[in-house]
Amino acid sequence: MKLRSYMIIGFLLSLLLSIVPLSGNFTNAATPTAVAPISALSFTQGVQKTLLDNGLTVLTKEVHTAPVVSVQVWYKVGSRNEVKGENGISHQLEHLMFKGTTDRPVQFGRLFSALGSQFNAFTSYDETAYFGTVQRDKLVALLTLEADRMENSLVGPEQLKSEKRVVISELQGYENSPGYRLDRAVMQDAFPSRAYGLPVGGTKADVEKFTVEQVQNYYKTYYSPENATLVITGDFATEPVLKVVKETFGKLSQRAKADKVLDNAKRALDHFSASSSLADASPATPVGKKAPIVLKQPGSAALLQAIYPLPDIKHPDVPAIDVMDAILTGGRSSRLYQALVESGLASSVSGGAAELIEPGWYEIDATAAPGQELEKIAQVLQESLAKLQQQPVTTEELNRAKTQLQASLVLSNQDITSQANQLGYNQTVAGDYRYIEQYLAAIAKVTPAQVQQAAKTYLSPAKQTIGFFEPTQPDGKPGTSSAGSGRTVENFSPGKPVDPAELAKYLPPATSATDSGKQSLPEEFTLNNGLRVLLLGDRNLPTINLSGQIDAGTEFDGNQKAGLANLTANNLMNGTQAKNALTLAKTLEDRGADLNFGASREGVNISGEGLSANLPILIQTLADVLKNATFPADQLELSRQRALTSLKVQLDDPTGLGRQVFQQAIYPENHPFHSFPTFESLKNITRDDLLGFYQTHYRPDNTTLALVGDFDQVKVKALLNQEFGKWQATGKPPVLKISSVSLPQTLTRLNKVIPGKAEAVTYIGYNGISRKDPRFYAARVLNQILGGDTLASRLGTEVRDRQGLTYGIYSGFAAGINPGPFLIQMQTAPGDTQKAIASTLALLKQLREQGVTEAEFNAAKRSITNSYPVDLANPSDVSSIILDNAVLGLSRSEIRDFPQRIQAVTMAQLQKTIEDLIKPENLIIVTAGPGDTVPKIGS
């Protein structure tokens, strides 16, 4: 169940954004299936809608839970509006909106970063949105910048040329994914004469042909006040802010030509009719299914995708369709998970309804388990859908689906950025920010008969478009590898770093600074058995956020049993002494709660969330699996098959394979960080291995829990003592002695070829520092300057912005309990890889030899400290920060003191950190992807 999922293409990253148009006004309607109201919270309560004289819609919502504000501009234009030959122009324009304006001819990402904004943008089928979240004193500055680029963006030859290369790099990166290629083929076949059938990001062929005049005309047509919605949520006073909005946005003129928006959106629809409602709909008469689309290409796992046409978002069938989807794919207890994954046919299955301005579609995706045939999966899928059409769903299923839909709304809107997203999406796509209220009221009234009718109407085999991806490398083994000469083929002289003083000329002024020292500190205590707990109450929302760590990570695997820690963690929810896997799943899913385990290098991560009323269930389930997991043999085999599939996917992915090769080049074979699962190691792990690992490493004195949310601390302590108090361990917990790792003696180059890929991924770096290293804060400032932001950093400025060689380039210190890698990661077209690497090495040498300027140094510190309050505005993030600080051995006050520690870094400390940690001559460089990234020596 991907709630209201739709593909969006962002300038920083591609991601699947789920925005659920539900209401938080949980007034329980009279319904034949009693679903208790879960909250009195309303996401439209307090929203004020203002229409400016120029047609701009403004939505404001005061949320005084944290000293931050979110500003978002939603334009009602996306790939739906593109005509033949311009597929991807909406996405191309989104990129260009960061290239500066006539009054501010600088990269806007640098301006946002200087304000401490956490910002992003995306293009979708119906909309393009830009959003930033900042401390409240930066609100006017953010409004000024957004108003400026609505009317004055630079769309010239120079900007288009460099950003075309970046967009093509992004698109080629998607080509690395078999799932992306299958989706493109299936969607084009399902909607041959509609823009929804084309990739949102566009095609390389169309992007290469865009002209400046073409993009400028598109900008003038759609980026006009009457085609936009401005959303402001957070800690502000409405009336003064509306005054500023009128002074900034109100002076902008309308530019759209006589309903050109609608004229350009007219398409020949496919043969699907969306005019009928459930009341009068009748199942279509099957006229023979289309043959599956079959892609036989290099890849890893076998994939299936099925598409069924749906009505638009305003159609009365939408609530029943979404309940139907939750029943089919909403968690482990869902019908398709049980039929396909629990049976061993598939490694995963998911689904989601795209309900958009025009008639959309329902999508089901499945990944085959090793050795399973896609035709068999398709057969069982059809049988499951037929059963839904023939028999009414149970009251239990219906209630569970409704509760999941309701709870997911509350849990996905705990921060103001998400709440603004919700309002912007509903206003832009549904035409009314209050859409969620009527939607939820309709959800509450959905009956079993309506779900059954929806299945009959929309899941007809005659309307299905289905595609199979059949990998031509089913063994999952990547291609050849080679060691480079340790030399790059060219030298490169980078441009001068951007002068923050020059940048400051274009920054709008901010009001008085926000006091960030008011952050509440968690209460910490330890149970008698050694289990550590951190509690931080937050009564603003009726939610619970749980983070935890057990010192049972992959560092304990060893090479022969690599994958053991992950298999153990993944099998915890497969059964206890009192409950089997399905019962455990239903216990949580019936309440819309979630609990997950996953092994990382230094521990098993626990993440849980739910409504505050369900805290006891969440804690009881956690305690049950930590104390009483039984590791059923049949479930172990299913999870092993899923792990083998995941390994195939990783080895076929330049990002995954490149990181493994990079890590194993840094750490010697006997080092715990060298270990990665292999097909042999996964097959050799037995149930006894899991039981032994569980009994050895899963101990209360190895476990730390952090809870943030709406609870009574006295009651929570009593609950934790009751559930965990009798959990005991004998002896002392296992401890690893991890040896230090020296840097390589010389620059080392490794290349891994994966057939069928379009883009290369490169990792550059070596072993770095731990979190408690005294140089950590200086390293954090250093990294902000070097590559902490793909638009505002030195690497981003040179390699991405000036040269257009990469869609994304980042650097970071993986500083854990033990030293982790310092690394730079980038994605490049094969022909650009060498130049991008040479540019990066030149930038590192420049940093080493020339250091940084005082202005850069101060700007980096301000950017880090200004953005930190935004992290603290999300309860889910706060629980993770509290946990990490505790596990890393830091003080409880670190969550409050972090900005001061950054500000206390001196220039002398930074220069010493550069001297210690930036060693261009000792780098390991790993490139994974197509085989033509490294020219032959002498060529």
Side-chain angles (χ1 to χ4, degrees), residues 28-334:
N28 203 30
T31 134
T33 54
V35 176
I38 57 176
S39 169
L41 187 68
S42 172
F43 286 101
T44 58
Q45 184 178 349
V47 175
Q48 181 172 325
K49 180 179 177 181
T50 305
L51 190 66
L52 301 191
D53 291 342
N54 59 10
L56 178 71
T57 298
V58 184
L59 301 177
T60 53
K61 180 184 178 183
E62 294 183 28
V63 185
H64 301 288
T65 56
V68 296
V69 290
S70 186
V71 172
Q72 305 192 3
V73 181
W74 290 65
Y75 295 94
K76 194 174 181 179
V77 59
S79 60
R80 177 181 72 95
N81 303 88
E82 295 166 2
V83 297
K84 188 175 181 181
E86 64 177 27
N87 181 213
I89 194 169
S90 303
H91 175 226
Q92 180 70 73
L93 179 56
E94 176 219 314
H95 277 246
L96 289 166
M97 288 287 284
F98 287 86
K99 301 296 278 187
T101 64
T102 50
D103 290 338
R104 295 180 174 87
V106 293
Q107 166 58 253
F108 262 45
R110 291 185 211 120
L111 296 176
F112 292 138
S113 181
L115 292 173
S117 176
Q118 294 190 9
F119 63 96
N120 211 325
F122 68 81
T123 304
S124 187
Y125 297 99
D126 294 333
E127 75 274 17
T128 307
Y130 303 83
F131 46 99
T133 303
V134 293
Q135 292 185 88
R136 62 187 172 207
D137 57 294
K138 311 298 191 306
L139 172 57
V140 174
L142 213 50
L143 290 170
T144 303
L145 292 175
E146 287 295 355
D148 188 16
R149 66 174 173 174
M150 179 178 282
E151 187 165 84
N152 304 311
S153 280
L154 289 172
V155 182
E158 182 183 339
Q159 291 83 11
L160 183 58
K161 181 180 178 182
S162 69
E163 213 58 30
K164 267 188 183 184
R165 294 189 70 177
V166 172
V167 167
I168 290 170
S169 171
E170 179 182 355
L171 297 179
Q172 294 296 95
Y174 300 142
E175 292 291 331
N176 283 352
S177 165
Y180 176 84
R181 302 198 298 271
L182 178 63
D183 176 78
R184 181 177 55 201
V186 172
M187 288 294 289
Q188 287 180 350
D189 190 77
F191 304 111
S193 57
R194 293 181 55 196
Y196 282 167
L198 298 173
V200 170
T203 62
K204 182 180 178 182
D206 278 2
V207 170
E208 286 176 333
K209 290 184 289 190
F210 291 153
T211 65
V212 171
E213 182 183 22
Q214 192 179 10
V215 182
Q216 284 177 343
N217 286 338
Y218 202 78
Y219 172 57
K220 291 173 184 175
T221 298
Y222 292 107
Y223 280 58
S224 186
E226 76 277 17
N227 197 46
T229 297
L230 169 66
V231 187
I232 309 169
T233 57
D235 193 17
F236 63 92
T238 300
E239 290 311 313
V241 165
L242 283 177
K243 185 172 181 243
V244 174
V245 168
K246 289 169 184 174
E247 291 169 353
T248 51
F249 287 89
K251 65 185 180 183
L252 305 181
S253 58
Q254 293 188 3
R255 300 189 299 173
K257 300 169 186 173
D259 220 11
K260 181 92 177 282
V261 170
L262 289 177
D263 292 341
N264 272 8
K266 286 180 180 176
R267 316 262 168 228
L269 296 181
D270 60 289
H271 298 299
F272 174 72
S273 170
S275 60
S276 65
S277 69
L278 277 178
D280 59 14
S282 58
T285 304
V287 292
K289 293 190 295 183
K290 289 192 289 186
I293 298 158
V294 180
L295 297 186
K296 294 187 177 182
Q297 298 174 357
S300 50
L303 308 174
L304 174 149
Q305 180 172 324
I307 293 290
Y308 304 84
L310 287 183
D312 63 73
I313 192 170
K314 294 183 181 179
H315 197 281
D317 295 358
V318 163
I321 291 168
D322 288 353
V323 173
M324 174 191 76
D325 169 46
I327 290 168
L328 284 172
T329 66
R332 188 168 189 167
S333 63
S334 65

Side-chain angles (χ1 to χ4, degrees), residues 397-408:
E397 285 180 297
L398 190 69
N399 286 345
R400 184 184 306 125
K402 291 181 179 181
T403 301
Q404 286 179 321
L405 288 167
Q406 290 178 336
S408 65

